[in-house]
Amino acid sequence: MSFAAPTTPSFPQNVHEALQDENLQAALRGSRGGFVLRRARARAALPEFDALRDAAAAMKDHVLASLDIYLERYEAQVTAAGGQVHWAETAEDARRIVLEICRRAEAKTVNKGKTMIAEECGINEHLEAHGIRPVETDLGEYIIQLRGEAPSHIIAPAIHVTVPQVREEFRRAHTALAPDRDLEGLDTLLREARAVLREKYFQAEVGITGANMLIAETGQSVIVTNEGNGDLSQSLPRVHIVMASLEKIVPGLEDAATLLRVLARSATGQEMAVYTTFSAGPRRAEDPDGPEEYHVVLLDNGRAKMAGTPFQPMLRCIRCGACMNHCPVYQAVGGHAYGWVYPGPMGAVLTPSLIGVEQGGHLPNASTFCGRCEEVCPMRIPLPGMMRAWREREMERGLAPATARYGLRIWGFLARRPWLYRRATGAARWVMRRMARGRGRIARLPLAGGWTGTRDFPAPQGRGFLAQWQERK
Amino acid sequence: MARPRVALFVTCLVDLFRPAVGFASVKLLQDAGCTVEVPMAQTCCGQPGWNSGDRETARSVAAQVIETFGGYDHVVLPSGSCAATIVKDYPQMFPEGDPLHEAAVALAGRTHEIVSFLVDVMGVKRVSAKLQAQATYHDSCSGLRSLGIRDQPRALLASVEGLTLTEMEESEVCCGFGGTFCVKYPEISTVMAADKTRNAAATGAGLLLAGDLGCLMNIAGMASREGRSFRCRHVVEVLAGQTDGPAIGEG
Ligand code: SF4
């Protein structure tokens, strides 16, 4: 399962499989242009968008510099409202805390709104192993739960699934419905999912949601959804558990508004998500509804130790998904190839931080540094720069492949000695021109099989520029 | 105004693979009124080391570049990617407190990619080249996103007599070259390169232009393997009117 055994070390193999998977490729092709277009439109429609990004990033930097103060403030507010904050240093701690709360509530069924933190902690697997049934209420999460999969995108978890695959899954899973019912049309599928899920809302004793942010000043947690499933997950059951990582904190309501203004625009191109819900503690005497118990599980799992390192800016991330929507590598292989919870450029930086660069090292290397992620990130996170920083760490610790390390040293030795360098490139040119046999390109080049397996390699065009220049002078 | 003294840094790829780009660059700079010098001690900007995480090797190569290219009014490169290494990365390689910090920052401030240099610094509005062709332009990533090169090449190409430019879909998406990326993750690189050639071919253009030889070799290599009918050239070859020689990968 996702939390137990990352498949990140076999990234190249995952990539190979992803590229052969016709359904996945069809699904990726289908979604690719839409996110990009909608975000571009939303950005164009808001002249102060870039200024908001600056403000959002600066606000988050300020919070990260005084994280402990804001977290204490937040905890005090939650406690005052009658809720309880649980500090989970590791994923293991979070699993234990959540299970204890569920057991105390004598839960048989737990509703889940979309939460990547629960995913990171493997909450579903843990509850199931202890006889408690987790039910995903977000449509995308529900689909992948039926398929026994992990999310492949942080805001569109089932983006790798095609519509015919969903249809097939619904026929298989919803056995109480007539097997020959009409399932054409997206609305029909949506209606069926809604009907099935509605029933489950009322069975659960506990509801678990994530949080897009936690507000220190008011003790509120905020979730944004387009389906309203989060609201039902958190207000119907007797017990509500919010799972969030500690960098989700913001100082006040104004700051929350700043993030909300960039979040949906960057994610889906909407001005606001359809539902933005603030929750603050258990039901009060005068409230018509709401949970009796309110718990917040605050997860660290390696984040606090990122503060003060070159990777600190990653803690500004608001999980909008824009970086992966614009990443040509993600768009080619999809999210599962990344092998752990967080895919795309943000995953390429965060995954090595959380599971170790020994396991996650492929991810920061599998980038051309094209810079599109940084260009669109609402929090102005320098993602390529941090991937480069990971490569530097690998190099320092001797984790980079020996061929790369020695190759670079030889290259550096030559590049510092122009005369020798000219000799070496002259020899290489001679060899390549022989191999091209007058055709101007090489069909097979030793040591560069990755290139020439699918592409020709253009050969040098004659004598070197510098040699020719010197002669003409 | 005195003629600015410009050092041409042709880049390691141009020196090794495509001298025509160097000669076209010299012509464009001279036409724009520059005195062009080509320092013979030049090799590579150091980007392969820096992007691979080998800070020490990158710094040692960069130190040599700083020494070789000090003392000119401007340093110009026919590559957005290598120019961005000097402009954006050198100040990080030699951070404040480093003995070479000031020299690195000074060099960064005087360094330019060639097409943006012609337009933004030398105020060139048009070139005298002629070419009967339909072309499409690929925006190489570093030039576009690190240095803001987008309109300058299009403005100058618009002045080439006989040339029409047809934009392709996703012209701003990476071609999949990425330095060592293309051999480390060849399968992903292949998909990206194939997307690029498909988008380029869909324009019906007979010529693909770009400002970076790395991208061009990748795209040209994919196009020739696929049997595409368009050719690839560096944008300066067209702007300088030097398109008589074979296109990239053609001989
Ligand atoms: S890194 Fe930036 S673009 Fe990517 S999910 Fe986080 S906030 Fe969004």
Side-chain angles (χ1 to χ4, degrees):
Chain A
M1 284 283 122
S2 56
F3 73 98
T7 65
T8 313
S10 56
F11 178 77
Q13 182 56 31
N14 303 350
V15 162
H16 180 76
E17 283 160 21
L19 291 172
Q20 313 300 317
D21 182 339
E22 281 172 30
N23 280 316
L24 170 65
Q25 291 300 324
L28 288 169
R29 267 197 304 279
S31 65
R32 175 169 172 165
F35 278 119
V36 172
L37 190 72
R38 286 192 291 272
R39 180 215 170 253
R41 279 199 197 127
R43 175 184 181 225
L46 187 71
E48 69 267 38
F49 187 66
D50 284 344
L52 272 175
R53 291 166 73 190
D54 293 333
M59 180 269 286
K60 212 67 207 225
D61 280 341
H62 161 79
V63 173
L64 292 171
S66 337
L67 197 56
D68 46 346
I69 297 172
Y70 286 112
L71 285 169
E72 276 166 27
R73 179 85 208 258
Y74 171 77
E75 181 179 23
Q77 295 294 55
V78 172
T79 312
Q84 197 181 344
V85 173
H86 308 260
W87 300 88
E89 202 182 320
T90 63
E92 166 82 63
D93 294 339
R95 288 195 284 276
R96 182 177 41 75
I97 293 164
V98 169
L99 182 64
E100 272 168 19
I101 299 170
C102 291
R103 279 193 169 149
R104 248 184 289 124
E106 294 175 1
K108 289 187 194 64
T109 305
V110 171
N111 279 347
K112 287 192 57 237
K114 202 179 137 16
T115 147
M116 292 308 292
I117 296 303
E119 204 60 46
E120 181 178 330
C121 297
I123 293 296
N124 284 5
E125 295 82 348
H126 194 64
L127 292 178
E128 271 164 10
H130 292 86
I132 298 171
R133 189 169 66 126
V135 178
E136 294 291 350
T137 62
D138 172 272
L139 178 57
E141 291 283 355
Y142 176 66
I143 292 168
I144 58 170
Q145 189 180 30
L146 290 180
R147 292 166 53 91
E149 290 177 319
S152 68
H153 186 291
I154 58 175
I155 67 160
I159 198 152
H160 60 285
V161 187
T162 63
V163 175
Q165 287 178 304
V166 174
R167 202 171 284 135
E168 194 182 302
E169 213 52 60
F170 279 15
R171 281 201 201 284
R172 194 184 58 73
H174 303 159
T175 45
L177 301 171
D180 56 350
R181 67 193 179 282
D182 171 30
L183 272 182
E184 282 314 302
L186 280 178
D187 322 351
T188 330
L189 284 172
L190 271 175
R191 249 194 318 269
E192 176 161 321
R194 184 174 262 249
V196 173
L197 284 171
R198 278 286 144 132
E199 222 168 276
K200 303 193 180 182
Y201 284 127
F202 296 98
Q203 297 169 1
E205 295 82 8
V206 175
I208 299 179
T209 65
N212 289 88
M213 51 198 116
L214 305 171
I215 306 177
E217 177 183 79
T218 60
Q220 290 161 308
S221 75
V222 185
I223 54 172
V224 299
T225 71
N226 277 329
E227 297 163 22
N229 60 308
D231 302 29
L232 294 175
S233 307
Q234 71 185 34
S235 50
L236 290 178
R238 218 170 50 67
V239 177
H240 177 200
I241 305 175
V242 176
M243 294 196 73
S245 49
L246 38 82
E247 84 284 5
K248 285 281 174 290
I249 204 98
V250 299
L253 282 163
E254 284 287 331
D255 308 298
T258 306
L259 292 191
L260 287 171
R261 293 186 73 197
V262 292
L263 174 60
R265 287 182 169 88
S266 302
T268 53
Q270 294 163 289
E271 289 178 10
M272 285 282 273
V274 180
Y275 298 88
T276 301
T277 309
F278 292 68
S279 60
R283 171 184 194 162
R284 291 162 300 191
E286 65 275 24
D287 291 340
D289 55 15
E292 288 165 29
E293 285 177 36
Y294 182 81
H295 300 272
V296 180
V297 179
L298 264 182
L299 178 73
D300 177 354
N301 210 25
R303 288 167 175 81
K305 70 173 198 288
M306 289 167 69
T309 74
F311 306 106
Q312 173 170 320
M314 197 60 232
L315 297 174
R316 298 204 293 256
C317 176
I318 54 173
R319 306 290 188 267
C320 71
C323 54
M324 54 200 78
N325 295 338
H326 290 77
C327 175
V329 174
Y330 177 94
Q331 293 302 325
V333 302
H336 287 155
Y338 290 77
W340 198 59
V341 184
Y342 301 106
M346 56 81 68
V349 177
L350 190 59
T351 300
S353 302
L354 300 186
I355 67 173
V357 71
E358 294 77 4
Q359 295 230 37
H362 270 299
L363 305 189
N365 279 287
S367 164
T368 63
F369 289 164
C370 81
R372 247 181 140 204
C373 50
E374 182 174 2
E375 185 183 33
V376 298
C377 173
M379 304 306 288
R380 298 210 188 274
I381 300 172
L383 294 153
M386 288 189 292
M387 291 181 216
R388 208 200 57 77
W390 274 123
R391 298 182 190 182
E392 218 166 74
R393 298 251 160 137
E394 287 188 295
M395 195 61 75
E396 283 162 9
R397 295 186 206 162
L399 295 170
T403 43
R405 276 181 286 140
Y406 294 116
L408 283 164
R409 267 184 233 159
I410 295 168
W411 160 82
F413 179 86
L414 291 170
R416 286 193 304 274
R417 291 166 179 78
W419 184 81
L420 206 57
Y421 182 84
R422 213 78 65 221
R423 283 290 159 115
T425 51
R429 178 183 302 113
W430 185 82
V431 172
M432 283 190 274
R433 282 180 62 80
R434 298 263 322 213
M435 292 175 72
R437 294 196 212 102
R439 285 174 62 243
R441 52 183 178 266
I442 301 161
R444 214 175 301 137
L445 195 63
L447 301 177
W451 179 302
T452 52
T454 54
R455 288 159 278 197
D456 292 332
F457 191 81
Q461 191 207 14
R463 298 182 41 238
F465 172 78
L466 293 171
Q468 294 190 45
W469 178 261
Q470 200 164 26
E471 228 160 72
R472 287 188 191 192
K473 293 225 88 177
Chain B
M1 190 177 93
R3 292 168 73 88
R5 237 177 106 235
V6 171
L8 177 65
F9 189 168
V10 286
T11 76
C12 54
L13 283 183
V14 165
D15 180 49
L16 177 54
F17 288 99
R18 199 150 176 88
V21 173
F23 290 111
S25 302
V26 172
K27 175 174 192 304
L28 286 168
L29 290 169
Q30 286 174 341
D31 287 357
C34 305
T35 301
V36 181
E37 293 183 31
V38 181
M40 280 296 141
Q42 60 178 283
T43 57
C44 172
C45 66
Q47 189 191 109
W50 179 248
N51 280 356
S52 302
D54 189 347
R55 177 180 278 263
E56 275 325 302
T57 308
R59 272 167 55 94
S60 69
V61 174
Q64 205 217 213
V65 172
I66 292 171
E67 195 191 313
T68 306
F69 288 93
Y72 294 93
D73 295 329
H74 306 282
V75 176
V76 172
L77 303 92
S79 158
S81 169
C82 308
T85 295
I86 299 180
V87 173
K88 301 280 171 171
D89 297 339
Y90 277 20
Q92 290 184 57
M93 279 184 215
F94 305 97
E96 236 163 299
D98 190 287
L100 277 178
H101 177 68
E102 273 166 34
V105 170
L107 181 65
R110 283 186 279 113
T111 298
H112 305 271
E113 179 277 339
I114 185 160
V115 182
S116 53
F117 175 75
L118 293 172
V119 173
D120 299 338
V121 179
M122 297 307 294
V124 174
K125 299 235 158 21
R126 48 188 313 107
V127 292
S128 57
K130 295 191 184 83
L131 183 67
Q132 281 300 325
Q134 186 193 349
T136 192
Y137 184 82
H138 163 66
D139 291 279
S140 292
C141 299
S142 302
L144 173 71
R145 280 178 274 266
S146 296
L147 302 176
I149 300 164
R150 182 201 322 247
D151 299 336
Q152 302 92 328
R154 290 178 171 83
L156 292 189
L157 285 170
S159 73
V160 174
E161 201 183 314
L163 188 82
T164 53
L165 194 70
T166 312
E167 296 289 348
M168 67 174 121
E169 290 282 320
E170 301 195 327
S171 71
E172 301 187 355
V173 175
C174 181
C175 71
F177 172 62
T180 54
F181 172 85
C182 63
V183 283
K184 278 197 287 186
Y185 300 98
E187 288 190 90
I188 310 173
S189 174
T190 294
V191 173
M192 291 165 69
D195 282 347
K196 183 56 65 183
T197 53
R198 190 175 345 95
N199 283 324
T203 63
L207 189 59
L208 178 139
L209 304 174
D212 261 284
L213 193 53
C215 316
L216 283 162
M217 289 175 64
N218 182 38
I219 299 168
M222 178 56 80
S224 81
R225 181 67 61 89
E226 292 176 325
R228 300 278 184 196
S229 57
F230 65 85
R231 304 273 178 271
C232 299
R233 285 187 188 277
H234 195 289
V235 64
V236 297
E237 298 175 37
V238 171
L239 295 178
Q242 298 181 349
T243 49
D244 295 339
I248 295 169
E250 300 278 312

